[in-house]
Structure formats: structure tokens, C-alpha cells
Amino acid sequence: MKAPKFNYIKAETRQQALELLDQLGEEGRILAGGQSLMPTLNMRLSQPGTLIDINKVSGLGGITLEGNVVRIGAMTRHVEVANSPIIAEHLPLIAEAMQHVAHHAVRNRGTIGGSIALADPAAEMPACVLALGATLVVESVKGRREIAAEDYFKGLYETAREANELLVEILIPVEKLGDVSVFLELAQRHGDFAMAGLACVARVSNKTFEDLRLVYFGSEDKPTLGTGAIAAVVGRTWSADCKEAAANALANDLDPMTNLQGSAAMKLHLQKVLTGRALDAAIERAGAA
Ligand SMILES: Cc1cc2nc3c(=O)[nH]c(=O)nc-3n(C[C@H](O)[C@H](O)[C@H](O)COP(=O)(O)OP(=O)(O)OC[C@H]3O[C@@H](n4cnc5c(N)ncnc54)[C@H](O)[C@@H]3O)c2cc1C
């Protein structure tokens, strides 16, 4: 199938992109890497009136360390994130997760901002930014707005970003000294969207989880914090009983959707298995640190 007819405007400046978004409302759609948008146009799953290409707009890319926060511009390509020494040193969860994002060709064009703006429930970056307590920065003609990742993901492809807002940057606190992180995913083939996956950030002392964040993706309509599983583990010395308690609690945390990647029951089972593996790996990494 071919894409329906649409207008195309290459924005020269950030201000121009914001003005176009404001004027066009739901009819306007940002074109970043095009790796999700173009397939949905070709399949006629979306029919925006005008594409606003922001590839030539300056100031929307790059990765910098600013104090204890890593700032990633929305137009930073997945490949730049994957190869960044700043990410490798300060956000190892994202470095590990990037290895699972699509294939080289898609990573060369796709952007981190596109992934977070789209909020595909099986995508890796939304889960990582939620696990790391990131802030998403959006802009409109009215100004800049910061949204905590916990308030940003609302539902299936639904976020707190308004149609007239451009996602401009992602601010992520660095992983603290002594924290360990683990990223696990099960997909039918490497690089495919996840059937189930988990982003874990933990502080471990003497085989006891002092602090923990477990964010699940690929099973719900949005990345989901496993609050019950976390409560079942924090403060306890890691053991087989503890692992079982976390798996049992997960049944209340998650209400997976059945989709092409698998049934709800299978996804819940996979998430339980991944939880045990992730926590085992966190204990091992903390011991090796
Ligand atoms: C074969 C294939 C496999 C893939 N596998 C994976 C995978 O395993 N994991 C994964 O996470 N992704 C995967 N993807 C998707 C890929 O990572 C996309 O690049 C990404 O989801 C969207 O980024 P993009 O820059 O291409 O955005 P685009 O496709 O350009 O845009 C996506 C959506 O976000 C909006 N948007 C983009 N940027 C902004 C912005 N700055 N502000 C406001 N709105 C914006 C657009 O209007 C559009 O609605 C895959 C894609 C393909 C084709």
C-alpha cells in the first residue's frame, strides 16, 4: 500500500516547527526519524494532513552531562545513544537496552525523542526513562513544560504531551554510585518488538535490596512500575522465597494484553521469569561491583 496524500513542510527553526504545530493541531505530525511514522502512513494506520520535518532544526540533538543529569536532545538518533561514552558511563541501563532496539538500519535513523513521543508499549526507551525517573521536556508556542516520566505515559500510544507540543529533550538523573541496573527482554527475533521486558534499577547491600525500581514493558498498554513486586523484595535478603514472593505479587501489578506477540497468560508468565532473572543478575552485578 502507498501513503495517503499529505503536505510536507521542512521546518527551518524550532520556532517555525512550534508555530506549525500550533496552527495545524491534530492535522500536523512531526517527522523525526520516520521509522515508525512512515510505515504507519504506508499502511494507512494514520492520515495526518501535514508532516512537519524537524531534521534540519538545530539544537534538538546531542547528549551532554550537566551536573548529575544527562540531557539527551529529542532528535538524537538511537545509534548515537548506543555509541555514547556518556550513556555508557552514567546510564548503563540505557546502553544495555539500546542493544535491543530494532536493527542497525532503523537505529541509524530512529530517534530517542520519536520513541518516547510515540510511546509504543513494547518499546525499550519508555520503560528506561520511567525506571530512571527521567523528566520529559516539551515546548509549544506558549513555552516550555517539564513532565515527570511517571506522569507522562497515559495509555496505548497516549501521553501527557499535547498535540501542539514538541518533545525537545529528555533529562535523566545519572545512575548513582553503587546502583546496579539490568535490562532484559524476550522477543521472537533479536531486534523485534518485545513480547515481554523489564528495566531494573537497584541498590543492593549484603544481598539485600535496599532500593528497587522494576518497570515492565511489552505486556501492558504502557510501561508499568511493578509496585507489588518491588514491595515484596525491598528490605529482604535475596532468596528463593523472595523470588517467589515477587513473582506472586506481579500477578496484581500486571494485567497484560493479548496481542500478536503473545497471550496475556504467556506474557505474565514471561514477566515473572524475567523478574527472577533480573533480580538474580542485580545481586550478581552488585557482588561484582
Ligand atoms: C522494522 C522495525 C523494527 C523496530 N523495532 C523497534 C524496537 O525493537 N524497539 C523500539 O523501541 N522501536 C522499534 N522500532 C521503531 C523505531 O525505534 C522508531 O525509530 C521509533 O519508535 C520512532 O522514532 P522516529 O524518530 O523514527 O520517529 P517518527 O517515526 O518520525 O515519529 C514517530 C511518532 O512520534 C512523533 N514524534 C517524533 N518525534 C517527535 C518530537 N520530538 N516531538 C513530538 N512528536 C514527535 C511523530 O509525529 C510520530 O507520531 C522499529 C521500527 C522498525 C521499522
Side-chain angles (χ1 to χ4, degrees):
M1 234 193 280
K2 284 193 175 146
K5 282 193 174 169
F6 54 82
N7 298 318
Y8 169 88
I9 302 176
K10 185 177 272 187
E12 299 293 335
T13 64
R14 187 190 292 212
Q15 186 59 27
Q16 187 193 1
L18 297 182
E19 283 168 10
L20 285 165
L21 274 178
D22 202 57
Q23 288 156 18
L24 295 166
E26 298 283 351
E27 275 300 293
R29 198 69 53 84
I30 293 294
L31 173 64
Q35 298 302 298
S36 295
L37 183 57
M38 295 319 292
T40 62
L41 288 181
N42 288 339
M43 289 186 271
R44 305 222 169 181
L45 295 172
S46 80
Q47 304 204 348
T50 303
L51 298 191
I52 306 163
D53 185 344
I54 56 169
N55 281 272
K56 288 283 174 245
V57 173
S58 60
L60 288 177
I63 302 170
T64 49
L65 178 64
E66 294 167 12
N68 287 330
V69 171
V70 177
R71 177 203 159 278
I72 310 179
M75 279 301 287
T76 309
R77 313 275 169 194
H78 297 316
V79 65
E80 295 172 65
V81 178
N83 294 337
S84 161
I86 294 178
I87 299 293
E89 184 176 347
H90 298 286
L91 296 172
L93 179 74
I94 293 202
E96 194 173 10
M98 262 301 162
Q99 305 310 316
H100 296 271
V101 176
H103 314 281
H104 286 291
V106 173
R107 293 207 289 258
N108 285 342
R109 289 297 303 166
T111 64
I112 188 165
S115 179
I116 292 167
L118 182 65
D120 189 303
E124 292 80 3
M125 287 305 112
C128 288
V129 296
L130 182 54
L132 292 166
T135 299
L136 293 325
V137 184
V138 297
E139 254 178 50
S140 72
V141 287
K142 295 197 185 81
R144 177 182 162 104
R145 193 162 74 94
E146 296 192 351
I147 310 171
E150 297 208 357
D151 301 324
Y152 179 83
F153 299 102
K154 296 289 187 195
L156 196 61
Y157 300 105
E158 208 188 310
T159 72
R161 183 181 61 80
E162 302 291 341
N164 69 341
E165 288 177 320
L166 181 69
L167 178 64
V168 290
E169 60 191 28
I170 300 116
L171 306 175
I172 312 179
V174 297
E175 289 179 43
K176 294 189 200 86
L177 211 61
D179 284 359
V180 287
S181 57
V182 180
F183 187 91
L184 293 177
E185 166 174 334
L186 292 168
Q188 283 175 349
R189 292 172 309 180
H190 187 84
D192 282 0
F193 279 107
M195 299 154 76
L198 167 58
C200 162
V201 183
R203 171 155 297 214
V204 184
S205 176
N206 294 325
K207 298 205 168 185
T208 301
F209 285 94
E210 291 184 338
D211 201 2
L212 180 64
R213 277 175 82 81
L214 297 169
V215 173
Y216 295 87
F217 66 100
S219 47
E220 308 292 295
D221 61 355
K222 61 181 182 354
T224 304
L225 196 62
T227 48
I230 294 168
V233 170
V234 170
R236 293 180 64 187
T237 303
W238 186 235
S239 63
D241 280 356
C242 197
K243 191 187 280 193
E244 197 180 328
N248 290 338
L250 205 57
N252 290 325
D253 288 335
L254 301 181
D255 183 15
M257 350 173 250
T258 293
N259 62 16
L260 289 175
Q261 266 78 38
S263 70
M266 186 188 81
K267 281 167 181 263
L268 181 59
H269 171 71
L270 295 179
Q271 296 291 31
K272 287 181 180 181
V273 172
L274 289 182
T275 304
R277 286 185 191 168
L279 295 173
D280 279 341
I283 293 285
E284 199 181 311
R285 289 180 187 187

